[in-house]
């Protein structure tokens, strides 16, 4: 499968625990995005990487959230001290290089569904 | 005011019907516009980009009105397989992110 891969697909955790999700983008895609989607809403932007550089972060990304893309390949999203409000689908997307900020098609992974109990 | 607004529906239409979805966006500096499709419990997938001159892909026609900051999607001859949520998407300017609307739910019935 050469699409965007996310692991785990489902995660149930107790409030206050830390969780980490992984995203493997399509190879040669240097752009990587994290989005969060709750029921009945469209995806909300969290953060963007170009290669290993984190170029943009949403104000949704509180101090408890951190993302990394250490070698410009896979990325991780960590949530510390989870709260019930963190329950959502966490989507990763990747896209190929483009000129400047020109948009290139983003391909989404199937997401990690987080439930905080 | 949300950056991208859509009528959430649901739109229930019979097979063969023509249905139109509308979307407005608030940032006049936005440059890129798209419609994504999302099936239940699946990831969003690009349906089509939207260009100022309007564009068509088979049964799907997208229109952009920059002056009114309005985007539309027309689906002709609806199929059962068109049942999904259609997300209006606008690039965030400045920046790399995409702003998604809440989505419009379409159910095509036999």
């Amino acid at each position: 499968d050469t699409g965007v891969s996310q692991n785990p697909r489902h995660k149930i955790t107790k409030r206050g625990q830390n969780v980490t999700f992984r995203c493997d983008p399509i190879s040669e895609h240097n752009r990587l995005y994290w989005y969060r989607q709750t029921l009945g809403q469209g995806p909300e932007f969290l953060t963007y990487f170009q290669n290993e550089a984190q170029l943009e972060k949403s104000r949704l990304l509180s101090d408890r959230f951190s993302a990394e893309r250490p070698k410009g390949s896979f990325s991780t999203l960590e949530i510390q001290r989870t709260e019930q409000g963190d329950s959502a689908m966490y989507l990763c997307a990747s896209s190929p290089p483009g000129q400047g900020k020109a948009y290139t098609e983003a391909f989404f992974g199937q997401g990690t569904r987080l439930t905080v109990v | 005011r949300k950056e991208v607004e859509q009528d959430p529906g649901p739109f229930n239409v019979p097979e063969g019907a023509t249905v139109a979805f509308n979307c407005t966006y608030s940032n006049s500096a936005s440059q890129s516009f798209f419609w994504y499709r999302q099936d239940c419990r699946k990831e969003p997938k690009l349906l089509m980009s939207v260009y100022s001159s309007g564009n068509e892909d088979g049964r799907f026609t997208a229109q952009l009105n920059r002056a009114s900051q309005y985007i539309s999607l027309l689906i002709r001859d609806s199929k059962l397989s068109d049942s999904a949520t259609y997300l209006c998407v606008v690039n965030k300017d400045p920046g790399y992110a995409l702003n998604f609307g809440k989505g419009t739910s379409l159910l095509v019935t036999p």
Side-chain angles (χ1 to χ4, degrees):
Chain A
D1 187 350
T2 56
V4 177
S5 175
Q6 290 189 246
N7 287 287
R9 294 288 308 281
H10 303 274
K11 179 71 177 178
I12 300 173
T13 191
K14 291 184 178 179
R15 193 171 47 190
Q17 298 293 305
N18 300 342
V19 294
T20 300
F21 310 140
R22 176 177 169 126
C23 171
D24 288 89
I26 295 170
S27 67
E28 298 177 358
H29 280 193
N30 68 333
R31 300 179 173 186
L32 187 146
Y33 309 79
W34 285 99
Y35 286 83
R36 180 178 74 181
Q37 187 173 25
T38 53
L39 198 62
Q41 303 293 319
E44 296 174 290
F45 170 74
L46 293 177
T47 191
Y48 166 75
F49 289 87
Q50 187 160 300
N51 300 309
E52 66 277 6
Q54 188 174 22
L55 297 186
E56 195 172 340
K57 290 195 288 188
S58 162
R59 61 181 177 278
L60 290 175
L61 217 65
S62 73
D63 291 345
R64 297 185 297 105
F65 287 69
S66 62
E68 294 183 341
R69 192 181 184 197
K71 295 183 180 179
S73 57
F74 73 91
S75 175
T76 57
L77 177 69
E78 181 182 16
I79 309 174
Q80 297 182 325
R81 305 182 302 283
T82 52
E83 301 171 358
Q84 286 189 317
D86 297 330
S87 296
M89 176 74 84
Y90 290 84
L91 292 162
C92 175
S94 70
S95 61
Q99 288 192 339
K101 290 188 177 181
Y103 175 79
T104 53
E105 181 182 349
F107 294 83
F108 283 82
Q110 292 183 300
T112 294
R113 185 171 295 282
L114 173 67
T115 303
V116 181
V117 297
Chain B
R1 180 184 174 186
K2 290 192 72 75
E3 297 198 45
V4 181
E5 302 218 38
Q6 293 182 251
D7 179 348
F11 284 62
N12 293 341
V13 302
E15 269 186 291
T18 295
V19 60
F21 304 140
N22 303 319
C23 166
T24 57
Y25 61 95
S26 61
N27 188 343
S28 60
S30 297
Q31 295 296 319
S32 303
F33 310 90
F34 314 92
W35 285 100
Y36 271 71
R37 171 190 169 132
Q38 187 170 27
D39 293 303
C40 187
R41 296 189 167 272
K42 299 285 191 181
E43 72 276 20
K45 293 184 179 178
L46 180 66
L47 177 66
M48 59 196 304
S49 300
V50 187
Y51 304 114
S52 295
S53 54
N55 48 299
E56 190 173 302
D57 183 1
R59 296 180 294 107
F60 299 84
T61 301
Q63 296 278 354
L64 168 65
N65 184 323
R66 285 186 184 272
S68 302
Q69 294 177 209
Y70 171 94
I71 306 163
S72 65
L73 176 69
L74 184 76
I75 305 176
R76 291 181 300 279
D77 189 22
S78 300
K79 311 291 185 191
L80 296 177
S81 58
D82 293 334
S83 298
T85 296
Y86 291 83
L87 297 158
C88 179
V89 187
V90 177
N91 78 296
K92 178 176 172 291
D93 185 275
Y96 298 89
L98 294 174
N99 285 320
F100 285 78
K102 282 189 175 183
T104 299
S105 175
L106 172 65
L107 179 63
V108 182
T109 55

PDB file of all heavy atoms in Angstrom, chain A residues 7-36:
ATOM      1  N   ASN A   7      -0.921   4.987  12.296  1.00  0.00           N
ATOM      2  CA  ASN A   7      -1.006   3.981  13.353  1.00  0.00           C
ATOM      3  C   ASN A   7      -0.998   4.641  14.723  1.00  0.00           C
ATOM      4  O   ASN A   7      -0.308   5.650  14.910  1.00  0.00           O
ATOM      5  CB  ASN A   7       0.207   3.036  13.259  1.00  0.00           C
ATOM      6  CG  ASN A   7       0.084   2.105  12.081  1.00  0.00           C
ATOM      7  OD1 ASN A   7      -0.713   1.177  12.080  1.00  0.00           O
ATOM      8  ND2 ASN A   7       0.860   2.385  11.055  1.00  0.00           N
ATOM      9  N   PRO A   8      -1.770   4.088  15.670  1.00  0.00           N
ATOM     10  CA  PRO A   8      -2.745   3.016  15.457  1.00  0.00           C
ATOM     11  C   PRO A   8      -4.000   3.547  14.773  1.00  0.00           C
ATOM     12  O   PRO A   8      -4.157   4.755  14.629  1.00  0.00           O
ATOM     13  CB  PRO A   8      -3.045   2.561  16.894  1.00  0.00           C
ATOM     14  CG  PRO A   8      -2.897   3.817  17.693  1.00  0.00           C
ATOM     15  CD  PRO A   8      -1.760   4.590  17.061  1.00  0.00           C
ATOM     16  N   ARG A   9      -4.889   2.685  14.386  1.00  0.00           N
ATOM     17  CA  ARG A   9      -6.146   3.130  13.802  1.00  0.00           C
ATOM     18  C   ARG A   9      -7.130   3.572  14.881  1.00  0.00           C
ATOM     19  O   ARG A   9      -7.945   4.466  14.660  1.00  0.00           O
ATOM     20  CB  ARG A   9      -6.764   2.010  12.961  1.00  0.00           C
ATOM     21  CG  ARG A   9      -5.953   1.632  11.732  1.00  0.00           C
ATOM     22  CD  ARG A   9      -6.021   2.717  10.657  1.00  0.00           C
ATOM     23  NE  ARG A   9      -7.392   3.088  10.335  1.00  0.00           N
ATOM     24  CZ  ARG A   9      -8.184   2.378   9.549  1.00  0.00           C
ATOM     25  NH1 ARG A   9      -7.750   1.262   8.989  1.00  0.00           N
ATOM     26  NH2 ARG A   9      -9.421   2.770   9.327  1.00  0.00           N
ATOM     27  N   HIS A  10      -7.041   2.935  16.011  1.00  0.00           N
ATOM     28  CA  HIS A  10      -7.916   3.269  17.137  1.00  0.00           C
ATOM     29  C   HIS A  10      -7.082   3.302  18.407  1.00  0.00           C
ATOM     30  O   HIS A  10      -6.166   2.501  18.567  1.00  0.00           O
ATOM     31  CB  HIS A  10      -9.030   2.227  17.301  1.00  0.00           C
ATOM     32  CG  HIS A  10      -9.868   2.042  16.085  1.00  0.00           C
ATOM     33  ND1 HIS A  10     -10.959   2.825  15.802  1.00  0.00           N
ATOM     34  CD2 HIS A  10      -9.757   1.175  15.058  1.00  0.00           C
ATOM     35  CE1 HIS A  10     -11.493   2.435  14.671  1.00  0.00           C
ATOM     36  NE2 HIS A  10     -10.789   1.440  14.191  1.00  0.00           N
ATOM     37  N   LYS A  11      -7.453   4.229  19.314  1.00  0.00           N
ATOM     38  CA  LYS A  11      -6.763   4.313  20.587  1.00  0.00           C
ATOM     39  C   LYS A  11      -7.770   4.731  21.639  1.00  0.00           C
ATOM     40  O   LYS A  11      -8.453   5.753  21.489  1.00  0.00           O
ATOM     41  CB  LYS A  11      -5.619   5.338  20.510  1.00  0.00           C
ATOM     42  CG  LYS A  11      -4.858   5.521  21.809  1.00  0.00           C
ATOM     43  CD  LYS A  11      -4.003   4.337  22.145  1.00  0.00           C
ATOM     44  CE  LYS A  11      -3.190   4.548  23.411  1.00  0.00           C
ATOM     45  NZ  LYS A  11      -2.391   3.333  23.748  1.00  0.00           N
ATOM     46  N   ILE A  12      -7.881   3.938  22.685  1.00  0.00           N
ATOM     47  CA  ILE A  12      -8.694   4.300  23.828  1.00  0.00           C
ATOM     48  C   ILE A  12      -7.749   4.522  24.988  1.00  0.00           C
ATOM     49  O   ILE A  12      -6.897   3.673  25.274  1.00  0.00           O
ATOM     50  CB  ILE A  12      -9.725   3.188  24.179  1.00  0.00           C
ATOM     51  CG1 ILE A  12     -10.656   2.947  22.997  1.00  0.00           C
ATOM     52  CG2 ILE A  12     -10.529   3.577  25.419  1.00  0.00           C
ATOM     53  CD1 ILE A  12     -11.595   1.769  23.180  1.00  0.00           C
ATOM     54  N   THR A  13      -7.878   5.656  25.642  1.00  0.00           N
ATOM     55  CA  THR A  13      -6.971   5.964  26.731  1.00  0.00           C
ATOM     56  C   THR A  13      -7.741   6.603  27.874  1.00  0.00           C
ATOM     57  O   THR A  13      -8.815   7.166  27.694  1.00  0.00           O
ATOM     58  CB  THR A  13      -5.850   6.896  26.258  1.00  0.00           C
ATOM     59  OG1 THR A  13      -4.843   6.988  27.267  1.00  0.00           O
ATOM     60  CG2 THR A  13      -6.374   8.302  25.976  1.00  0.00           C
ATOM     61  N   LYS A  14      -7.168   6.509  29.039  1.00  0.00           N
ATOM     62  CA  LYS A  14      -7.776   7.147  30.202  1.00  0.00           C
ATOM     63  C   LYS A  14      -7.345   8.608  30.265  1.00  0.00           C
ATOM     64  O   LYS A  14      -6.207   8.947  29.898  1.00  0.00           O
ATOM     65  CB  LYS A  14      -7.368   6.421  31.480  1.00  0.00           C
ATOM     66  CG  LYS A  14      -7.972   5.044  31.612  1.00  0.00           C
ATOM     67  CD  LYS A  14      -7.609   4.409  32.938  1.00  0.00           C
ATOM     68  CE  LYS A  14      -8.255   3.046  33.073  1.00  0.00           C
ATOM     69  NZ  LYS A  14      -7.890   2.378  34.350  1.00  0.00           N
ATOM     70  N   ARG A  15      -8.229   9.414  30.757  1.00  0.00           N
ATOM     71  CA  ARG A  15      -7.935  10.840  30.930  1.00  0.00           C
ATOM     72  C   ARG A  15      -6.643  11.013  31.737  1.00  0.00           C
ATOM     73  O   ARG A  15      -6.425  10.318  32.735  1.00  0.00           O
ATOM     74  CB  ARG A  15      -9.100  11.486  31.673  1.00  0.00           C
ATOM     75  CG  ARG A  15      -9.118  12.989  31.681  1.00  0.00           C
ATOM     76  CD  ARG A  15     -10.413  13.495  32.254  1.00  0.00           C
ATOM     77  NE  ARG A  15     -10.773  12.813  33.483  1.00  0.00           N
ATOM     78  CZ  ARG A  15     -11.941  12.923  34.092  1.00  0.00           C
ATOM     79  NH1 ARG A  15     -12.877  13.657  33.571  1.00  0.00           N
ATOM     80  NH2 ARG A  15     -12.189  12.274  35.205  1.00  0.00           N
ATOM     81  N   GLY A  16      -5.800  11.905  31.255  1.00  0.00           N
ATOM     82  CA  GLY A  16      -4.547  12.161  31.958  1.00  0.00           C
ATOM     83  C   GLY A  16      -3.359  11.403  31.392  1.00  0.00           C
ATOM     84  O   GLY A  16      -2.212  11.745  31.698  1.00  0.00           O
ATOM     85  N   GLN A  17      -3.619  10.391  30.568  1.00  0.00           N
ATOM     86  CA  GLN A  17      -2.527   9.628  29.959  1.00  0.00           C
ATOM     87  C   GLN A  17      -1.988  10.361  28.741  1.00  0.00           C
ATOM     88  O   GLN A  17      -2.652  11.229  28.157  1.00  0.00           O
ATOM     89  CB  GLN A  17      -3.010   8.236  29.556  1.00  0.00           C
ATOM     90  CG  GLN A  17      -3.485   7.390  30.712  1.00  0.00           C
ATOM     91  CD  GLN A  17      -2.336   7.034  31.634  1.00  0.00           C
ATOM     92  OE1 GLN A  17      -1.331   6.484  31.208  1.00  0.00           O
ATOM     93  NE2 GLN A  17      -2.480   7.348  32.920  1.00  0.00           N
ATOM     94  N   ASN A  18      -0.782   9.995  28.357  1.00  0.00           N
ATOM     95  CA  ASN A  18      -0.176  10.529  27.133  1.00  0.00           C
ATOM     96  C   ASN A  18      -0.378   9.533  26.001  1.00  0.00           C
ATOM     97  O   ASN A  18      -0.355   8.315  26.220  1.00  0.00           O
ATOM     98  CB  ASN A  18       1.326  10.762  27.331  1.00  0.00           C
ATOM     99  CG  ASN A  18       1.635  11.753  28.436  1.00  0.00           C
ATOM    100  OD1 ASN A  18       0.770  12.520  28.854  1.00  0.00           O
ATOM    101  ND2 ASN A  18       2.863  11.730  28.918  1.00  0.00           N
ATOM    102  N   VAL A  19      -0.583  10.052  24.790  1.00  0.00           N
ATOM    103  CA  VAL A  19      -0.709   9.179  23.622  1.00  0.00           C
ATOM    104  C   VAL A  19       0.164   9.723  22.499  1.00  0.00           C
ATOM    105  O   VAL A  19       0.408  10.932  22.416  1.00  0.00           O
ATOM    106  CB  VAL A  19      -2.167   9.065  23.128  1.00  0.00           C
ATOM    107  CG1 VAL A  19      -3.037   8.349  24.159  1.00  0.00           C
ATOM    108  CG2 VAL A  19      -2.755  10.432  22.794  1.00  0.00           C
ATOM    109  N   THR A  20       0.603   8.826  21.649  1.00  0.00           N
ATOM    110  CA  THR A  20       1.414   9.207  20.486  1.00  0.00           C
ATOM    111  C   THR A  20       0.897   8.484  19.262  1.00  0.00           C
ATOM    112  O   THR A  20       0.648   7.276  19.304  1.00  0.00           O
ATOM    113  CB  THR A  20       2.901   8.847  20.702  1.00  0.00           C
ATOM    114  OG1 THR A  20       3.389   9.547  21.841  1.00  0.00           O
ATOM    115  CG2 THR A  20       3.729   9.259  19.485  1.00  0.00           C
ATOM    116  N   PHE A  21       0.728   9.233  18.188  1.00  0.00           N
ATOM    117  CA  PHE A  21       0.272   8.679  16.920  1.00  0.00           C
ATOM    118  C   PHE A  21       1.391   8.830  15.891  1.00  0.00           C
ATOM    119  O   PHE A  21       2.154   9.802  15.923  1.00  0.00           O
ATOM    120  CB  PHE A  21      -0.967   9.422  16.408  1.00  0.00           C
ATOM    121  CG  PHE A  21      -2.063   9.567  17.413  1.00  0.00           C
ATOM    122  CD1 PHE A  21      -2.779  10.750  17.497  1.00  0.00           C
ATOM    123  CD2 PHE A  21      -2.381   8.543  18.290  1.00  0.00           C
ATOM    124  CE1 PHE A  21      -3.803  10.901  18.413  1.00  0.00           C
ATOM    125  CE2 PHE A  21      -3.400   8.691  19.218  1.00  0.00           C
ATOM    126  CZ  PHE A  21      -4.099   9.881  19.284  1.00  0.00           C
ATOM    127  N   ARG A  22       1.393   7.903  14.944  1.00  0.00           N
ATOM    128  CA  ARG A  22       2.424   7.941  13.904  1.00  0.00           C
ATOM    129  C   ARG A  22       1.781   8.085  12.532  1.00  0.00           C
ATOM    130  O   ARG A  22       0.710   7.524  12.270  1.00  0.00           O
ATOM    131  CB  ARG A  22       3.256   6.671  13.948  1.00  0.00           C
ATOM    132  CG  ARG A  22       4.299   6.602  12.833  1.00  0.00           C
ATOM    133  CD  ARG A  22       5.165   5.377  12.927  1.00  0.00           C
ATOM    134  NE  ARG A  22       5.965   5.214  11.729  1.00  0.00           N
ATOM    135  CZ  ARG A  22       7.290   5.074  11.736  1.00  0.00           C
ATOM    136  NH1 ARG A  22       7.962   5.042  12.877  1.00  0.00           N
ATOM    137  NH2 ARG A  22       7.950   4.913  10.598  1.00  0.00           N
ATOM    138  N   CYS A  23       2.462   8.805  11.668  1.00  0.00           N
ATOM    139  CA  CYS A  23       2.019   8.974  10.286  1.00  0.00           C
ATOM    140  C   CYS A  23       3.194   8.713   9.356  1.00  0.00           C
ATOM    141  O   CYS A  23       4.265   9.314   9.516  1.00  0.00           O
ATOM    142  CB  CYS A  23       1.498  10.389  10.062  1.00  0.00           C
ATOM    143  SG  CYS A  23       1.153  10.779   8.320  1.00  0.00           S
ATOM    144  N   ASP A  24       3.004   7.824   8.398  1.00  0.00           N
ATOM    145  CA  ASP A  24       3.990   7.598   7.345  1.00  0.00           C
ATOM    146  C   ASP A  24       3.422   8.144   6.042  1.00  0.00           C
ATOM    147  O   ASP A  24       2.450   7.599   5.514  1.00  0.00           O
ATOM    148  CB  ASP A  24       4.313   6.108   7.209  1.00  0.00           C
ATOM    149  CG  ASP A  24       5.137   5.595   8.358  1.00  0.00           C
ATOM    150  OD1 ASP A  24       4.563   5.155   9.377  1.00  0.00           O
ATOM    151  OD2 ASP A  24       6.376   5.669   8.248  1.00  0.00           O
ATOM    152  N   PRO A  25       3.996   9.218   5.535  1.00  0.00           N
ATOM    153  CA  PRO A  25       3.443   9.832   4.319  1.00  0.00           C
ATOM    154  C   PRO A  25       3.797   9.022   3.078  1.00  0.00           C
ATOM    155  O   PRO A  25       4.581   8.071   3.141  1.00  0.00           O
ATOM    156  CB  PRO A  25       4.143  11.190   4.288  1.00  0.00           C
ATOM    157  CG  PRO A  25       5.469  10.930   4.939  1.00  0.00           C
ATOM    158  CD  PRO A  25       5.185   9.906   6.007  1.00  0.00           C
ATOM    159  N   ILE A  26       3.226   9.420   1.971  1.00  0.00           N
ATOM    160  CA  ILE A  26       3.605   8.840   0.687  1.00  0.00           C
ATOM    161  C   ILE A  26       5.058   9.240   0.428  1.00  0.00           C
ATOM    162  O   ILE A  26       5.447  10.393   0.664  1.00  0.00           O
ATOM    163  CB  ILE A  26       2.669   9.357  -0.427  1.00  0.00           C
ATOM    164  CG1 ILE A  26       1.246   8.843  -0.165  1.00  0.00           C
ATOM    165  CG2 ILE A  26       3.162   8.945  -1.793  1.00  0.00           C
ATOM    166  CD1 ILE A  26       0.183   9.467  -1.055  1.00  0.00           C
ATOM    167  N   SER A  27       5.835   8.276  -0.030  1.00  0.00           N
ATOM    168  CA  SER A  27       7.268   8.565  -0.213  1.00  0.00           C
ATOM    169  C   SER A  27       7.439   9.685  -1.237  1.00  0.00           C
ATOM    170  O   SER A  27       6.643   9.804  -2.175  1.00  0.00           O
ATOM    171  CB  SER A  27       8.025   7.316  -0.660  1.00  0.00           C
ATOM    172  OG  SER A  27       7.641   6.947  -1.927  1.00  0.00           O
ATOM    173  N   GLU A  28       8.407  10.507  -0.988  1.00  0.00           N
ATOM    174  CA  GLU A  28       8.729  11.675  -1.814  1.00  0.00           C
ATOM    175  C   GLU A  28       7.765  12.844  -1.624  1.00  0.00           C
ATOM    176  O   GLU A  28       7.917  13.871  -2.281  1.00  0.00           O
ATOM    177  CB  GLU A  28       8.819  11.316  -3.304  1.00  0.00           C
ATOM    178  CG  GLU A  28       9.923  10.309  -3.574  1.00  0.00           C
ATOM    179  CD  GLU A  28       9.985   9.877  -5.023  1.00  0.00           C
ATOM    180  OE1 GLU A  28       9.154  10.311  -5.827  1.00  0.00           O
ATOM    181  OE2 GLU A  28      10.896   9.097  -5.336  1.00  0.00           O
ATOM    182  N   HIS A  29       6.784  12.678  -0.761  1.00  0.00           N
ATOM    183  CA  HIS A  29       5.959  13.820  -0.391  1.00  0.00           C
ATOM    184  C   HIS A  29       6.691  14.578   0.717  1.00  0.00           C
ATOM    185  O   HIS A  29       6.874  14.055   1.811  1.00  0.00           O
ATOM    186  CB  HIS A  29       4.584  13.379   0.116  1.00  0.00           C
ATOM    187  CG  HIS A  29       3.632  13.040  -0.970  1.00  0.00           C
ATOM    188  ND1 HIS A  29       2.278  12.884  -0.744  1.00  0.00           N
ATOM    189  CD2 HIS A  29       3.821  12.855  -2.296  1.00  0.00           C
ATOM    190  CE1 HIS A  29       1.672  12.612  -1.899  1.00  0.00           C
ATOM    191  NE2 HIS A  29       2.589  12.571  -2.840  1.00  0.00           N
ATOM    192  N   ASN A  30       7.077  15.818   0.448  1.00  0.00           N
ATOM    193  CA  ASN A  30       7.813  16.541   1.469  1.00  0.00           C
ATOM    194  C   ASN A  30       6.893  17.347   2.394  1.00  0.00           C
ATOM    195  O   ASN A  30       7.323  17.845   3.418  1.00  0.00           O
ATOM    196  CB  ASN A  30       8.863  17.466   0.836  1.00  0.00           C
ATOM    197  CG  ASN A  30       8.238  18.608   0.062  1.00  0.00           C
ATOM    198  OD1 ASN A  30       7.122  18.498  -0.438  1.00  0.00           O
ATOM    199  ND2 ASN A  30       8.963  19.715  -0.044  1.00  0.00           N
ATOM    200  N   ARG A  31       5.620  17.463   2.032  1.00  0.00           N
ATOM    201  CA  ARG A  31       4.675  18.236   2.836  1.00  0.00           C
ATOM    202  C   ARG A  31       3.813  17.283   3.659  1.00  0.00           C
ATOM    203  O   ARG A  31       3.278  16.301   3.111  1.00  0.00           O
ATOM    204  CB  ARG A  31       3.779  19.100   1.961  1.00  0.00           C
ATOM    205  CG  ARG A  31       4.546  20.109   1.124  1.00  0.00           C
ATOM    206  CD  ARG A  31       3.614  20.928   0.258  1.00  0.00           C
ATOM    207  NE  ARG A  31       4.328  22.007  -0.427  1.00  0.00           N
ATOM    208  CZ  ARG A  31       3.735  22.946  -1.151  1.00  0.00           C
ATOM    209  NH1 ARG A  31       2.434  22.950  -1.265  1.00  0.00           N
ATOM    210  NH2 ARG A  31       4.439  23.876  -1.740  1.00  0.00           N
ATOM    211  N   LEU A  32       3.670  17.594   4.925  1.00  0.00           N
ATOM    212  CA  LEU A  32       2.897  16.730   5.817  1.00  0.00           C
ATOM    213  C   LEU A  32       2.053  17.588   6.739  1.00  0.00           C
ATOM    214  O   LEU A  32       2.521  18.588   7.284  1.00  0.00           O
ATOM    215  CB  LEU A  32       3.838  15.827   6.628  1.00  0.00           C
ATOM    216  CG  LEU A  32       3.178  14.738   7.485  1.00  0.00           C
ATOM    217  CD1 LEU A  32       4.067  13.481   7.541  1.00  0.00           C
ATOM    218  CD2 LEU A  32       2.859  15.222   8.882  1.00  0.00           C
ATOM    219  N   TYR A  33       0.795  17.206   6.888  1.00  0.00           N
ATOM    220  CA  TYR A  33      -0.174  17.965   7.670  1.00  0.00           C
ATOM    221  C   TYR A  33      -0.820  17.046   8.725  1.00  0.00           C
ATOM    222  O   TYR A  33      -1.026  15.866   8.475  1.00  0.00           O
ATOM    223  CB  TYR A  33      -1.321  18.472   6.789  1.00  0.00           C
ATOM    224  CG  TYR A  33      -0.923  19.200   5.535  1.00  0.00           C
ATOM    225  CD1 TYR A  33      -0.516  18.514   4.405  1.00  0.00           C
ATOM    226  CD2 TYR A  33      -1.007  20.587   5.464  1.00  0.00           C
ATOM    227  CE1 TYR A  33      -0.179  19.169   3.240  1.00  0.00           C
ATOM    228  CE2 TYR A  33      -0.683  21.263   4.299  1.00  0.00           C
ATOM    229  CZ  TYR A  33      -0.279  20.552   3.192  1.00  0.00           C
ATOM    230  OH  TYR A  33       0.044  21.218   2.043  1.00  0.00           O
ATOM    231  N   TRP A  34      -1.167  17.637   9.831  1.00  0.00           N
ATOM    232  CA  TRP A  34      -2.036  16.982  10.810  1.00  0.00           C
ATOM    233  C   TRP A  34      -3.319  17.799  10.937  1.00  0.00           C
ATOM    234  O   TRP A  34      -3.271  19.030  11.033  1.00  0.00           O
ATOM    235  CB  TRP A  34      -1.359  16.894  12.183  1.00  0.00           C
ATOM    236  CG  TRP A  34      -0.295  15.848  12.295  1.00  0.00           C
ATOM    237  CD1 TRP A  34       1.058  16.028  12.206  1.00  0.00           C
ATOM    238  CD2 TRP A  34      -0.496  14.446  12.555  1.00  0.00           C
ATOM    239  NE1 TRP A  34       1.710  14.828  12.387  1.00  0.00           N
ATOM    240  CE2 TRP A  34       0.779  13.848  12.610  1.00  0.00           C
ATOM    241  CE3 TRP A  34      -1.616  13.646  12.762  1.00  0.00           C
ATOM    242  CZ2 TRP A  34       0.964  12.487  12.849  1.00  0.00           C
ATOM    243  CZ3 TRP A  34      -1.435  12.300  13.000  1.00  0.00           C
ATOM    244  CH2 TRP A  34      -0.154  11.733  13.043  1.00  0.00           C
ATOM    245  N   TYR A  35      -4.432  17.073  10.934  1.00  0.00           N
ATOM    246  CA  TYR A  35      -5.744  17.670  11.121  1.00  0.00           C
ATOM    247  C   TYR A  35      -6.483  16.889  12.203  1.00  0.00           C
ATOM    248  O   TYR A  35      -6.199  15.719  12.462  1.00  0.00           O
ATOM    249  CB  TYR A  35      -6.576  17.614   9.834  1.00  0.00           C
ATOM    250  CG  TYR A  35      -6.150  18.582   8.769  1.00  0.00           C
ATOM    251  CD1 TYR A  35      -5.100  18.292   7.901  1.00  0.00           C
ATOM    252  CD2 TYR A  35      -6.807  19.807   8.613  1.00  0.00           C
ATOM    253  CE1 TYR A  35      -4.709  19.189   6.925  1.00  0.00           C
ATOM    254  CE2 TYR A  35      -6.427  20.710   7.628  1.00  0.00           C
ATOM    255  CZ  TYR A  35      -5.378  20.389   6.788  1.00  0.00           C
ATOM    256  OH  TYR A  35      -4.995  21.282   5.822  1.00  0.00           O
ATOM    257  N   ARG A  36      -7.468  17.535  12.800  1.00  0.00           N
ATOM    258  CA  ARG A  36      -8.338  16.870  13.783  1.00  0.00           C
ATOM    259  C   ARG A  36      -9.771  17.032  13.294  1.00  0.00           C
ATOM    260  O   ARG A  36     -10.153  18.109  12.829  1.00  0.00           O
ATOM    261  CB  ARG A  36      -8.178  17.527  15.157  1.00  0.00           C
ATOM    262  CG  ARG A  36      -9.043  16.916  16.235  1.00  0.00           C
ATOM    263  CD  ARG A  36      -8.785  17.592  17.563  1.00  0.00           C
ATOM    264  NE  ARG A  36      -9.374  18.902  17.613  1.00  0.00           N
ATOM    265  CZ  ARG A  36      -9.271  19.708  18.660  1.00  0.00           C
ATOM    266  NH1 ARG A  36      -8.577  19.331  19.720  1.00  0.00           N
ATOM    267  NH2 ARG A  36      -9.833  20.883  18.654  1.00  0.00           N
TER     268      ARG A  36
END
